[in-house]
Amino acid sequence: VIRGFLLSGMPCPSSCPPGLLALMAPGLALMATFSLPSQAGDRRALPVEKPPGVKGRTLILLDVNTKSPVRIINENFLSLQLDPSIIHDGWLDFLRSSEPSAARTPSPARGAEPGCNCAGFHRRCGAAAAWRRWDGQKAFSLLGLAISLFSFPFAVDIVRSDIALDKQKGCKIAQHPDIMLELQREKAAQMHLVLLKEQFSNTYSNLTLTARSLDKLYNFADCSGFHLIFALNALRRNPNNSWNSSNALSLLKYSASKKYNISWELGNEPNNYRTLIGRSVNGSQLGKDYTQLRSLLQLIRTYSRAHLYGPNIGRPRKNVVAFLEGFMKVAGGTVDAVTWQHYYIDGRVAKVTDFLKTRLLDTLSDQIRKIQKVVNTYTPGKKIWLEGVGMTSAGGMNNLSDSYAAGFLWLNTLGLLASQGIDVVVRHSFLDHGHNHLVDQNFNPLPDYWLSLLYKRLIGPKVLAIHVAGLQRKPRPGRVIRDKLRIYAHCTSYHNHNYVRGSITLYIINLHRSRKKIKLAGTLRDKIVHQYLLQPYGKDGLHSKSVQLNGQPLAMVDDGTLPELKPRPLRAGRTLVIPPLTMSFYVVKNVNALACRYR
């Protein structure tokens, strides 16, 4: 499992692929917000009188505490994952392009603005990653404990990657003609069906990672400003069920010989190993395995201070919580951050109405509390990462998990995580064989891509408390009020030079089937506001894979150029009108907020 993250403060090289780096501008911790449902204290009414002639039940008064932030999230808060299927299906070769060319690959992976910085975390994982084997000398397809449904020929020798990293001249790019890209799409489509069969049957073929593949992957990441996090194979076990580290040691030595700057993990969803290899690994044993890995890293000078993350467990049900407790007792002090995964619903049975259910949106809060309780019991203050999140499991569903409707879950996920102190979230996936990704097989951005890009452009790492009036409702006996209008606030990104420091950005999710009106009060009153309203584009409505910004459809200008994201200026003091079933961002200019003046 290769996980990578974009390091803050790295200048954006000329070879950074367009859209991907645009998502990674530093200081734009994606979707970090302050969630109304998670902060009961924020529901108190404001001492602001209702404007005459406006019905109180239709108007919401909103103010923000501008004196100090309630959270400061990681500069690399939003991060991306590459699925290991890119090695299986051949897309790895097409992630090498970083300059405009016939291939569309550069578009979603490049920063669009001059002088941008590259920042964020990037991860690669998935159930198939558990079967990955390292072979630095030769590559051959291993038929292991899983049934191999597809045999893919791998290169048999170590070859220098087509990307040659040159610190002085940047990255040299291997360009591909259109015919190669078309052939690759056909091959990937066939592999897509195979991988889905493996996923549904829970039987996976082994995947051998060669030196050449690692070179390509690392050089792509390095040329794009990423930092790789690589999850080693934890399924190689000794007779006593301890981890067999011989294969991992070979990979570590090879990476060190290349001076690759990589962070590390061990395995993926270890609580499910019984299904994969017929025997389980408990939390205590995995903790010992991590201790062993830390010892290996310390023996290799290049990685003596490398970061180590884990255990990357699944949803924290009762048995998984017990697994985490066992791990933390043994290796809580060994890892630099504790990681887990979350997928909201089974993609095979999901419906569009599922993405509008507030009960579903709120399931993540309970999981966060469970993870935090265990971590704080054994290692108080240890950072926590949600290192694998998708709107649906099982690869997702076409025209659903890759549609506009899925954005409600995605934006709310980022808000809840930031408001509750999760340090990093890794989105599954930038590109893979399913339908949870940010770009399609033609590398055209999907709705969640545009949503993430806007977030990166507008949202800074400081989370602000909001105060609202007008949302109070009297609950029926036995009923829990769940907000269909969700409002989050941040300092505007320091890296967005269109706005002076001290500005504030709101983003709002309206799940109501009617429009809502918000009046800015207190420190926000009578300020000029820039609106960025995202709505579905086309006749498919919530199922649409295209979006419009302030009424203008969003699409790539050409293979290497993102469109200009133009705001709609609103006059000072104007009431914000939030259309039904929409997501929107509002930059309140020149607030001169004390919390936002300095980094």
Side-chain angles (χ1 to χ4, degrees):
V1 187
I2 300 168
R3 324 201 193 278
F5 52 89
L6 303 164
L7 296 176
S8 61
M10 295 180 63
C12 198
S14 61
S15 59
C16 291
L20 190 53
L21 286 190
L23 283 179
M24 303 165 183
L28 316 178
L30 263 178
M31 319 269 180
T33 58
F34 192 82
S35 171
L36 286 173
S38 64
Q39 303 288 341
D42 298 330
R43 297 174 183 268
R44 62 181 182 274
L46 290 171
V48 180
E49 295 183 2
K50 301 173 185 176
V54 179
K55 295 182 179 179
R57 67 183 183 88
T58 62
L59 186 69
I60 296 165
L61 301 180
L62 171 66
D63 191 13
V64 174
N65 183 344
T66 60
K67 294 182 179 179
S68 61
V70 293
R71 302 277 187 191
I72 301 178
I73 57 175
N74 197 303
E75 292 261 346
N76 306 317
F77 175 71
L78 178 79
S79 306
L80 297 177
Q81 170 183 326
L82 275 179
D83 194 273
S85 62
I86 64 169
I87 297 176
H88 245 319
D89 62 21
W91 276 120
L92 179 59
D93 288 328
F94 290 83
L95 287 178
R96 295 176 292 178
S97 297
S98 300
E99 295 293 335
S101 66
R104 299 239 5 175
T105 50
S107 305
R110 183 186 170 95
E113 297 183 29
C116 72
N117 288 333
C118 309
F121 292 89
H122 176 72
R123 168 183 183 248
R124 229 195 70 195
C125 85
W131 297 100
R132 187 180 56 249
R133 179 183 184 277
W134 164 253
D135 193 327
Q137 301 301 321
K138 57 184 178 179
F140 51 91
S141 190
L142 282 176
L143 180 60
L145 298 177
I147 299 174
S148 178
L149 298 178
F150 188 79
S151 178
F152 185 76
F154 292 92
V156 295
D157 57 346
I158 299 177
V159 181
R160 185 185 180 194
S161 170
D162 290 334
I163 292 182
L165 183 62
D166 186 322
K167 296 299 183 182
Q168 301 299 321
K169 298 180 181 179
C171 298
K172 299 176 183 178
I173 307 304
Q175 298 188 4
H176 305 284
D178 286 344
I179 184 63
M180 287 183 63
L181 190 59
E182 290 304 319
L183 291 173
Q184 167 58 27
R185 289 195 186 106
E186 293 178 7
K187 182 169 64 177
Q190 295 174 2
M191 176 57 73
H192 168 83
L193 298 177
V194 172
L195 293 173
L196 286 179
K197 287 180 180 179
E198 289 189 353
Q199 193 167 38
F200 293 152
S201 63
N202 210 28
T203 55
Y204 299 95
S205 56
N206 279 318
L207 173 61
T208 300
L209 179 71
T210 66
R212 176 172 179 167
S213 295
L214 181 60
D215 289 343
K216 291 176 181 177
L217 188 64
Y218 184 83
N219 284 328
F220 163 71
D222 207 7
C223 286
S224 302
F226 285 105
H227 175 83
L228 281 180
I229 306 177
F230 192 103
L232 298 162
N233 187 344
L235 293 181
R236 296 173 63 86
R237 315 300 295 181
N238 294 315
N240 65 356
N241 209 28
S242 64
W243 177 49
N244 185 330
S245 61
S246 58
N247 188 252
L249 184 59
S250 298
L251 190 152
L252 289 171
K253 289 180 176 179
Y254 176 82
S255 300
S257 71
K258 292 282 195 172
K259 293 183 170 53
Y260 288 164
N261 180 20
I262 300 177
S263 297
W264 303 94
E265 285 188 323
L266 181 59
N268 181 63
E269 290 196 76
N271 48 289
N272 288 332
Y273 282 176
R274 176 174 291 279
T275 304
L276 294 174
I277 62 175
R279 57 178 173 176
S280 61
V281 176
N282 61 36
S284 297
Q285 179 57 58
L286 188 69
K288 295 175 183 177
D289 299 338
Y290 263 79
T291 302
Q292 180 184 352
L293 174 55
R294 174 60 79 185
S295 297
L296 288 179
L297 294 174
Q298 291 174 343
L299 291 174
I300 301 173
R301 178 178 297 180
T302 303
Y303 300 124
S304 60
R305 296 184 179 181
H307 290 295
L308 180 60
Y309 306 105
N312 201 31
I313 54 174
R315 175 179 290 191
R317 298 184 176 91
K318 186 175 181 180
N319 63 318
V320 181
V321 170
F323 185 101
L324 180 59
E325 290 175 337
F327 176 85
M328 295 301 296
K329 288 177 183 177
V330 176
T334 300
V335 294
D336 294 285
V338 177
T339 60
W340 100 101
Q341 300 183 32
H342 176 68
Y343 295 87
Y344 282 92
I345 48 181
D346 188 336
R348 293 167 288 189
V349 297
K351 304 181 296 295
V352 69
T353 52
D354 292 334
F355 295 95
L356 308 179
K357 294 178 179 178
T358 55
R359 184 180 300 275
L360 179 64
L361 268 65
D362 291 338
T363 56
L364 183 59
S365 290
D366 183 55
Q367 291 196 30
I368 294 172
R369 286 190 289 268
K370 289 180 180 179
I371 297 291
Q372 287 176 329
K373 181 179 179 180
V374 175
V375 172
N376 291 330
T377 297
Y378 296 97
T379 54
K382 177 75 67 175
K383 295 185 182 302
I384 302 174
W385 291 12
L386 179 55
E387 212 190 54
V389 60
M391 304 313 103
T392 57
S393 62
M397 182 176 290
N398 190 27
N399 294 322
L400 197 57
S401 50
D402 52 3
S403 70
Y404 178 86
F408 296 121
L409 276 177
W410 177 222
L411 190 54
N412 190 68
T413 295
L414 292 157
L416 287 178
L417 292 172
S419 66
Q420 296 189 36
I422 301 305
D423 193 51
V424 169
V425 53
V426 183
R427 168 62 189 261
H428 180 107
S429 164
F430 178 66
L431 173 70
D432 67 7
H433 64 279
H435 301 286
N436 279 322
H437 39 233
L438 297 182
V439 299
D440 64 19
Q441 291 293 308
N442 294 318
F443 288 85
N444 292 308
L446 292 166
D448 277 5
Y449 176 88
W450 297 114
L451 184 64
S452 302
L453 178 59
L454 270 175
Y455 192 97
K456 280 289 192 182
R457 294 277 181 86
L458 301 175
I459 302 299
K462 292 185 178 180
V463 187
L464 303 175
I466 63 172
H467 308 289
V468 297
L471 288 180
Q472 294 85 350
R473 289 175 290 157
K474 186 176 181 180
R476 300 175 187 176
R479 295 285 299 276
V480 177
I481 292 178
R482 300 182 186 274
D483 290 317
K484 288 190 174 184
L485 186 70
R486 304 194 173 211
I487 307 172
Y488 304 91
H490 270 242
C491 294
T492 303
S493 170
Y494 301 127
H495 301 281
N496 192 322
H497 302 301
N498 294 322
Y499 302 108
V500 299
R501 291 193 180 185
S503 299
I504 287 175
T505 300
L506 309 168
Y507 61 96
I508 301 171
I509 303 169
N510 184 12
L511 295 173
H512 290 277
R513 297 186 180 274
S514 60
R515 68 179 186 174
K516 296 298 173 182
K517 296 181 179 181
I518 298 177
K519 189 72 174 177
L520 300 182
T523 55
L524 308 185
R525 181 189 290 124
D526 297 330
K527 302 295 183 183
I528 295 175
V529 175
H530 278 185
Q531 172 186 279
Y532 297 83
L533 174 63
L534 276 178
Q535 294 174 288
Y537 178 71
K539 61 182 180 180
D540 294 327
L542 295 179
H543 288 278
S544 178
K545 294 184 181 181
S546 300
V547 296
Q548 54 184 325
L549 176 65
N550 295 325
Q552 298 297 317
L554 288 177
M556 298 296 298
V557 176
D558 55 42
D559 288 348
T561 307
L562 288 164
E564 183 180 358
L565 304 179
K566 295 181 179 180
R568 179 190 176 193
L570 305 179
R571 71 174 185 273
R574 178 174 174 177
T575 298
L576 307 182
V577 180
I578 317 299
L581 301 175
T582 58
M583 296 166 281
S584 51
F585 297 82
Y586 295 90
V587 179
V588 187
K589 299 180 64 178
N590 304 321
V591 178
N592 198 27
L594 179 63
C596 306
R597 291 180 197 168
Y598 310 102
R599 297 186 66 172

